[in-house]
Amino acid sequence: MAEVATAAPAAPASGPSDSSATPTAGAPTSGSATPTAAPATGSPASTAAPAAGSSTAGSPTAKSASPAPGSPAAPAPAPSDSSAEAEGPEADPEDSSRSERKLDGPGDAAAVEAPAEAPPPARPASEKPPRVDGTYVGGTLGPGISFARVNDFPTPNPFVGGGATLRVGEVIYPWLSIGVEISGNLAYRSADPRQRLLQGAFLVDFGFYPGAKKQIPLSLRAGFGAGGGAIREARRTDRSGFGGAVFTAAVRYEFFPGAAKRRPTRGGGFSIGPELGWIGFMPAAKGRPMSHTVYLGLYVGFYFGS
């Protein structure tokens, strides 16, 4: 045995052929670098991959996944809070019935949403409607006395005659009215030589009612405008006149006969009452022509109410 081992020739060197480079399909030599196909039993890979029989038969996970036929069924999982919140609270039957009512158009929406307008409050029975109210029209007619002065001939005596005014306006506040006035006056001097005065004016008329809260139809009136006049003398063809700024002032008290019966719930009505006033045609300078007239007349008018 010893001699055979000594006489064994050395292994021949690998040649350049391709077969020496490729390992054989069988078990490789101990010096080959290629690892074996099946790892050893004690290697970590063998422990990481257990046998197929042990994973199915002896694993506790497999037993718990398929319960025994005699064991009770597992309870169903409770729904999560997120699903309950997603569904939301149960709709109220009244809300659902309201949601079912659909509006056909904007007109229906306005009819449903807009509340009905309340009627205006009725005036108490004890409160009387105002009589000096709304648009008015009226006039004053009555006698007057005038004092005039002109440049061409003397006028030592006053002129006596009559005058008339026409007024149209509006009561804008219970204590104030604004309108326009047309005034005219015709008067004579009876002494010799006889003279005649004719004058007229157009004015803006203001009325103030100090007793408006108590519905007292007393008015203080004032106005301004422009106008003129002339005086003629008997047996003379020429005339002498005056003109310029005109001012007026008056006080008036009105009665409303039958208004409470004919217009129990509406303001205004027919009015009549005395008026005492003054109309002045101012001189342009000292000593220049002028005229002043004082009159006492009867005012007749009508207030249409508001």
Side-chain angles (χ1 to χ4, degrees):
M1 294 292 290
E3 291 178 358
V4 174
T6 305
S14 59
S17 62
D18 296 337
S19 61
S20 63
T22 304
T24 59
T29 60
S30 60
S32 173
T34 304
T36 59
T41 308
S43 64
S46 64
T47 60
S54 64
S55 62
T56 58
S59 173
T61 306
K63 293 179 180 181
S64 62
S66 57
S71 62
S80 61
D81 296 340
S82 60
S83 62
E85 294 176 358
E87 293 178 359
E90 185 177 356
D92 192 1
E94 295 182 0
D95 297 340
S96 61
S97 62
R98 292 175 184 173
S99 62
E100 291 177 357
R101 293 183 299 174
K102 296 183 180 179
L103 304 178
D104 296 338
D108 295 341
V112 173
E113 296 177 2
E117 295 183 359
R123 182 185 290 112
S126 59
E127 183 180 354
K128 297 184 299 181
R131 294 303 165 200
V132 180
D133 187 31
T135 304
Y136 66 87
V137 59
T140 303
L141 181 65
I145 183 170
S146 302
F147 303 88
R149 182 177 63 211
V150 292
N151 294 332
D152 297 340
F153 39 82
T155 55
N157 303 109
F159 294 80
V160 179
T165 61
L166 177 64
R167 296 185 179 94
V168 178
E170 178 80 17
V171 180
I172 58 176
Y173 295 109
W175 53 272
L176 176 64
S177 66
I178 299 179
V180 294
E181 173 185 352
I182 300 175
S183 176
N185 186 38
L186 176 64
Y188 292 90
R189 174 176 177 258
S190 59
D192 193 37
R194 295 177 61 88
Q195 295 174 341
R196 185 185 67 185
L197 169 66
L198 180 63
Q199 60 186 9
F202 180 84
L203 308 100
V204 178
D205 179 61
F206 297 89
F208 303 92
Y209 301 86
K213 291 184 178 180
K214 297 181 179 179
Q215 297 189 13
I216 299 176
L218 174 68
S219 61
L220 306 177
R221 316 199 70 83
F224 66 91
I231 296 177
R232 289 182 177 273
E233 186 174 289
R235 298 183 297 272
R236 295 184 62 169
T237 58
D238 59 339
R239 63 182 180 179
S240 184
F242 51 88
V246 182
F247 297 91
T248 181
V251 57
R252 181 203 304 164
Y253 191 91
E254 299 175 67
F255 300 92
F256 293 84
K261 182 178 180 180
R262 295 184 178 90
R263 305 166 71 94
T265 60
R266 186 177 179 183
F270 173 77
S271 70
I272 185 172
E275 178 177 333
L276 176 65
W278 161 82
I279 300 176
F281 295 77
M282 299 292 104
K286 186 178 180 179
R288 301 294 293 172
M290 61 85 182
S291 173
H292 295 279
T293 301
V294 178
Y295 67 91
L296 177 62
L298 181 66
Y299 175 81
V300 179
F302 186 84
Y303 294 86
F304 292 91
S306 61

